[in-house]
Amino acid sequence: WRMEGRPIASTVLEEATEYQGRARVALTAALESGPSHAYLFRGPRGTGKRAAARAFAAEIVAAGATDPDDARRRALLDPSPHPDLVWLAPRGAQHLVEEVRERVIRAAAYRPFEGGKRVFVVEAAEAMRDESQNALLKTLEEPPEFVHLILLTAEPEALLETIASRCHPIDFAPLSSETLEAQL
Protein backbone atom coordinates (compact mmCIF):
# COMPACT_ATOMS: atom_id res chain seq x y z
CA TRP A 1 0.00 0.00 0.00
CA ARG A 2 1.47 3.33 -1.00
CA MET A 3 0.72 6.91 -0.09
CA GLU A 4 1.77 9.66 -2.50
CA GLY A 5 4.01 7.21 -4.34
CA ARG A 6 5.89 6.14 -1.21
CA PRO A 7 5.37 3.19 1.07
CA ILE A 8 3.35 3.92 4.21
CA ALA A 9 6.37 2.77 6.22
CA SER A 10 8.58 5.65 5.13
CA THR A 11 5.73 8.13 5.59
CA VAL A 12 5.14 7.09 9.22
CA LEU A 13 8.82 7.36 10.14
CA GLU A 14 9.20 10.66 8.27
CA GLU A 15 6.27 12.17 10.16
CA ALA A 16 7.61 10.96 13.50
CA THR A 17 11.02 12.51 12.84
CA GLU A 18 9.80 15.59 10.95
CA TYR A 19 11.97 18.00 12.96
CA GLN A 20 14.88 15.62 13.51
CA GLY A 21 16.60 15.28 10.13
CA ARG A 22 19.72 13.50 11.37
CA ALA A 23 17.69 10.98 13.36
CA ARG A 24 15.42 10.36 10.36
CA VAL A 25 18.40 9.68 8.09
CA ALA A 26 20.00 7.31 10.63
CA LEU A 27 16.77 5.38 11.30
CA THR A 28 15.85 5.12 7.62
CA ALA A 29 19.34 3.79 6.84
CA ALA A 30 19.03 1.30 9.71
CA LEU A 31 15.76 -0.02 8.31
CA GLU A 32 17.22 -0.31 4.81
CA SER A 33 20.35 -2.17 5.94
CA GLY A 34 18.72 -4.20 8.71
CA PRO A 35 18.35 -2.75 12.20
CA SER A 36 20.93 -3.35 14.88
CA HIS A 37 20.11 -5.10 18.13
CA ALA A 38 20.17 -1.95 20.30
CA TYR A 39 19.66 1.79 19.97
CA LEU A 40 19.96 4.66 22.41
CA PHE A 41 17.68 7.57 21.50
CA ARG A 42 19.16 10.49 23.41
CA GLY A 43 18.15 14.11 23.61
CA PRO A 44 16.14 16.58 25.66
CA ARG A 45 12.54 15.89 26.62
CA GLY A 46 10.02 16.95 24.02
CA THR A 47 12.22 16.33 20.99
CA GLY A 48 10.21 13.44 19.52
CA LYS A 49 12.17 10.45 20.81
CA ARG A 50 9.03 8.63 21.91
CA ALA A 51 7.18 9.12 18.59
CA ALA A 52 10.28 8.14 16.63
CA ALA A 53 10.76 5.02 18.76
CA ARG A 54 7.14 3.97 18.21
CA ALA A 55 7.42 4.48 14.43
CA PHE A 56 10.80 2.72 14.25
CA ALA A 57 9.56 -0.20 16.37
CA ALA A 58 6.43 -0.48 14.18
CA GLU A 59 8.63 -0.78 11.09
CA ILE A 60 10.79 -3.47 12.66
CA VAL A 61 7.76 -5.48 13.75
CA ALA A 62 6.02 -5.01 10.39
CA ALA A 63 9.07 -6.16 8.41
CA GLY A 64 8.66 -9.79 9.44
CA ALA A 65 4.88 -9.92 9.61
CA THR A 66 2.55 -11.78 7.25
CA ASP A 67 0.36 -8.65 7.12
CA PRO A 68 2.79 -5.73 7.52
CA ASP A 69 0.13 -3.01 7.36
CA ASP A 70 -1.90 -4.59 10.18
CA ALA A 71 1.21 -5.21 12.29
CA ARG A 72 2.36 -1.60 11.77
CA ARG A 73 -1.10 -0.22 12.60
CA ARG A 74 -1.29 -2.16 15.88
CA ALA A 75 2.29 -1.29 16.84
CA LEU A 76 1.59 2.41 16.31
CA LEU A 77 -1.33 2.41 18.76
CA ASP A 78 -0.62 3.71 22.25
CA PRO A 79 -0.80 1.47 24.18
CA SER A 80 0.07 -1.07 21.53
CA PRO A 81 -1.83 -4.35 21.43
CA HIS A 82 0.91 -5.93 19.29
CA PRO A 83 2.39 -8.91 21.19
CA ASP A 84 5.87 -8.44 19.70
CA LEU A 85 6.21 -4.85 20.93
CA VAL A 86 6.92 -4.40 24.63
CA TRP A 87 6.92 -0.81 25.90
CA LEU A 88 8.28 -0.24 29.40
CA ALA A 89 7.76 3.13 31.08
CA PRO A 90 8.56 3.79 34.74
CA ARG A 91 5.48 3.71 36.96
CA GLY A 92 6.98 6.24 39.32
CA ALA A 93 10.33 7.96 39.68
CA GLN A 94 12.24 4.86 38.55
CA HIS A 95 11.91 1.52 36.80
CA LEU A 96 11.35 -1.38 39.17
CA VAL A 97 14.17 -3.93 38.92
CA GLU A 98 11.78 -6.87 38.82
CA GLU A 99 9.73 -5.26 36.05
CA VAL A 100 12.87 -4.82 33.90
CA ARG A 101 13.81 -8.42 34.57
CA GLU A 102 10.35 -9.82 33.83
CA ARG A 103 9.13 -7.65 30.94
CA VAL A 104 12.42 -7.24 29.09
CA ILE A 105 15.16 -9.68 30.10
CA ARG A 106 13.04 -12.84 30.55
CA ALA A 107 10.59 -11.92 27.78
CA ALA A 108 13.46 -11.43 25.31
CA ALA A 109 14.11 -15.17 25.41
CA TYR A 110 10.71 -15.91 23.84
CA ARG A 111 10.44 -16.11 20.08
CA PRO A 112 8.18 -13.59 18.33
CA PHE A 113 4.48 -14.37 18.54
CA GLU A 114 3.47 -13.16 15.08
CA GLY A 115 6.40 -12.13 12.91
CA GLY A 116 10.11 -12.48 12.83
CA LYS A 117 11.11 -9.73 15.29
CA ARG A 118 10.41 -8.54 18.83
CA VAL A 119 11.06 -4.98 19.95
CA PHE A 120 11.54 -3.81 23.54
CA VAL A 121 11.39 -0.08 24.24
CA VAL A 122 12.57 1.25 27.59
CA GLU A 123 11.27 4.76 28.04
CA ALA A 124 13.20 7.06 30.42
CA ALA A 125 16.11 4.61 30.56
CA GLU A 126 17.89 6.96 32.97
CA ALA A 127 15.24 5.96 35.53
CA MET A 128 16.79 2.48 35.75
CA ARG A 129 18.90 2.02 38.86
CA ASP A 130 22.36 0.50 38.47
CA GLU A 131 20.96 -2.90 39.46
CA SER A 132 18.44 -2.79 36.59
CA GLN A 133 21.07 -1.60 34.13
CA ASN A 134 23.49 -4.35 35.16
CA ALA A 135 20.73 -6.95 34.81
CA LEU A 136 19.95 -5.66 31.30
CA LEU A 137 23.60 -5.78 30.26
CA LYS A 138 23.66 -9.49 29.36
CA THR A 139 20.63 -9.05 27.09
CA LEU A 140 22.30 -6.08 25.40
CA GLU A 141 25.55 -8.00 24.93
CA GLU A 142 24.05 -11.25 23.61
CA PRO A 143 20.46 -10.72 22.48
CA PRO A 144 18.61 -13.40 20.54
CA GLU A 145 18.78 -12.67 16.79
CA PHE A 146 15.10 -11.64 16.73
CA VAL A 147 15.35 -9.05 19.55
CA HIS A 148 15.78 -5.30 19.13
CA LEU A 149 16.07 -2.93 22.10
CA ILE A 150 15.43 0.81 22.03
CA LEU A 151 16.37 2.86 25.09
CA LEU A 152 15.09 6.44 25.36
CA THR A 153 16.85 8.94 27.56
CA ALA A 154 16.95 12.65 28.24
CA GLU A 155 19.97 12.11 30.52
CA PRO A 156 22.48 9.81 28.79
CA GLU A 157 25.10 10.58 31.44
CA ALA A 158 22.88 8.78 33.99
CA LEU A 159 23.34 5.48 32.12
CA LEU A 160 26.24 3.18 32.85
CA GLU A 161 28.95 3.38 30.20
CA THR A 162 28.61 -0.37 29.66
CA ILE A 163 24.97 0.15 28.64
CA ALA A 164 25.53 3.18 26.41
CA SER A 165 28.52 1.61 24.64
CA ARG A 166 26.45 -1.39 23.50
CA CYS A 167 23.80 0.75 21.78
CA HIS A 168 23.87 2.68 18.53
CA PRO A 169 23.29 6.32 19.53
CA ILE A 170 20.58 8.30 17.75
CA ASP A 171 20.73 11.95 18.74
CA PHE A 172 17.69 14.20 18.97
CA ALA A 173 18.46 17.91 18.95
CA PRO A 174 16.50 20.52 20.88
CA LEU A 175 13.68 21.96 18.80
CA SER A 176 14.01 25.53 17.56
CA SER A 177 11.75 28.18 19.03
CA GLU A 178 10.12 28.56 15.59
CA THR A 179 9.27 24.85 15.55
CA LEU A 180 7.88 25.02 19.08
CA GLU A 181 5.74 28.01 18.16
CA ALA A 182 4.41 26.19 15.10
CA GLN A 183 3.57 23.16 17.25
CA LEU A 184 1.58 25.29 19.69
Side-chain angles (χ1 to χ4, degrees):
W1 185 24
R2 295 182 169 272
M3 178 183 282
E4 300 174 348
R6 294 187 315 214
I8 292 291
S10 65
T11 303
V12 170
L13 187 59
E14 283 180 16
E15 288 175 5
T17 57
E18 180 180 1
Y19 302 108
Q20 297 292 341
R22 291 179 64 188
R24 179 182 35 237
V25 169
L27 295 174
T28 301
L31 289 172
E32 290 172 359
S33 64
S36 177
H37 73 288
Y39 291 89
L40 179 61
F41 286 23
R42 56 190 189 187
R45 285 175 176 74
T47 55
K49 296 183 302 290
R50 190 173 195 280
R54 187 162 298 281
F56 188 59
E59 295 311 317
I60 293 171
V61 169
T66 54
D67 184 348
D69 291 331
D70 179 61
R72 182 179 301 108
R73 180 189 56 77
R74 287 182 293 133
L76 287 170
L77 293 173
D78 186 10
S80 172
H82 198 293
D84 292 327
L85 174 58
V86 176
W87 196 283
L88 185 63
R91 294 181 188 207
Q94 58 187 288
H95 287 282
L96 300 176
V97 177
E98 194 50 42
E99 192 169 25
V100 172
R101 284 191 175 124
E102 194 63 37
R103 295 201 51 218
V104 180
I105 299 165
R106 289 186 188 114
Y110 296 108
R111 298 201 67 74
F113 294 100
E114 291 185 11
K117 305 287 182 182
R118 294 197 76 197
V119 180
F120 297 86
V121 180
V122 179
E123 193 173 332
E126 70 273 6
M128 287 190 294
R129 296 176 60 175
D130 287 357
E131 183 181 358
S132 297
Q133 292 184 52
N134 283 321
L136 185 61
L137 190 56
K138 177 83 168 149
T139 305
L140 277 171
E141 289 175 331
E142 300 172 16
E145 72 278 356
F146 51 81
V147 167
H148 300 276
L149 295 124
I150 304 171
L151 308 180
L152 312 180
T153 183
E155 302 171 29
E157 65 281 351
L159 294 173
L160 298 175
E161 179 57 34
T162 52
I163 295 291
S165 68
R166 283 158 179 80
C167 300
H168 288 276
I170 304 291
D171 291 317
F172 287 75
L175 299 178
S176 69
S177 55
E178 294 81 19
T179 300
L180 291 174
E181 276 184 36
Q183 290 292 310
L184 295 175

